[in-house]
Amino acid sequence: MRMQSSLLSNKWIVLLFISITISLGCKKNQPIAEKVRSSAYINALDYVTDKTGTTDVTVQLQAAINATPVGGTLWIPAGKYKTSGGLTRTTAITLRGDNGNFTYNYLDGKNDSTGTIIYCTSATNNLLNISAPGCSFYDIALVSQSITTPISSVGLNLTNAGLFRSSNCAYVGFYNNVVVEDGAGWRM
């Protein structure tokens, strides 16, 4: 009798697993963890149409930032992304670029860099405003390409952004490259 009870409970466990798999929308033989992970990982190129730096992609890049779930990762592939600034995020996010070699020539303002570079063409707008704890940035260059000398712009503006992390990033040419207000426990 005990053996039958054990087999019966195992059948219920299998049915429960199948039910969970179907409700998550997993394909046959696709691990549940893979489905969950992929939903929190957004590719910016699903939103951004130009990664050559020719066209302003501020609205498109903001849409990609907005689409990234809380605590999720927005991957911005190697390229040059032209913006007018004003990008914002108020919940935790990881921005991850492609590791590249960032070099900048201060004499002519040109670079031969590879990797992920987000340009700001405004002399007054902040490029990226973050007001959420737990954000991380990896392998991204934020660069001011204003045609006039920046007079009040900030590359990365962090408010209430405790536990912030930044690794292998460059912040170049802004009036203030990075500003941190009310952020405890950050690492760069």
Side-chain angles (χ1 to χ4, degrees), residues 91-129:
T91 57
I93 188 171
T94 296
L95 296 180
R96 183 171 292 283
D98 277 335
N99 191 9
N101 178 25
F102 181 76
T103 56
Y104 188 79
N105 184 336
Y106 283 97
L107 297 176
D108 63 12
K110 295 181 181 176
N111 70 66
D112 297 319
S113 301
T114 59
T116 302
I117 304 166
I118 303 174
Y119 293 103
C120 181
T121 58
S122 172
T124 57
N125 285 348
N126 297 343
L127 176 50
L128 185 56
N129 299 293

Side-chain angles (χ1 to χ4, degrees), residues 63-80:
I65 291 169
N66 294 345
T68 306
V70 175
T73 298
L74 175 60
W75 175 53
I76 306 172
K80 297 175 182 175

Side-chain angles (χ1 to χ4, degrees), residues 144-166:
S144 174
Q145 281 222 315
S146 169
I147 56 172
T148 61
T149 302
I151 56 174
S152 65
S153 64
V154 176
L156 177 61
N157 187 41
L158 300 165
T159 56
N160 191 27
L163 305 176
F164 168 78
R165 290 179 175 251
S166 174

Side-chain angles (χ1 to χ4, degrees), residues 27-120:
K27 298 174 187 167
K28 185 177 180 181
N29 298 326
Q30 180 187 21
I32 291 175
E34 181 180 316
K35 176 66 178 176
V36 171
R37 187 179 330 109
S38 65
S39 67
Y41 197 85
I42 304 294
N43 183 340
L45 292 184
D46 291 342
Y47 298 85
V48 176
T49 57
D50 177 34
K51 66 176 198 165
T52 65
T54 306
T55 306
D56 189 305
V57 296
T58 305
V59 172
Q60 298 167 355
L61 197 51
Q62 184 64 58
I65 291 169
N66 294 345
T68 306
V70 175
T73 298
L74 175 60
W75 175 53
I76 306 172
K80 297 175 182 175
Y81 301 87
K82 178 181 176 182
T83 73
S84 57
L87 301 172
T88 61
R89 180 67 180 210
T90 58
T91 57
I93 188 171
T94 296
L95 296 180
R96 183 171 292 283
D98 277 335
N99 191 9
N101 178 25
F102 181 76
T103 56
Y104 188 79
N105 184 336
Y106 283 97
L107 297 176
D108 63 12
K110 295 181 181 176
N111 70 66
D112 297 319
S113 301
T114 59
T116 302
I117 304 166
I118 303 174
Y119 293 103
C120 181

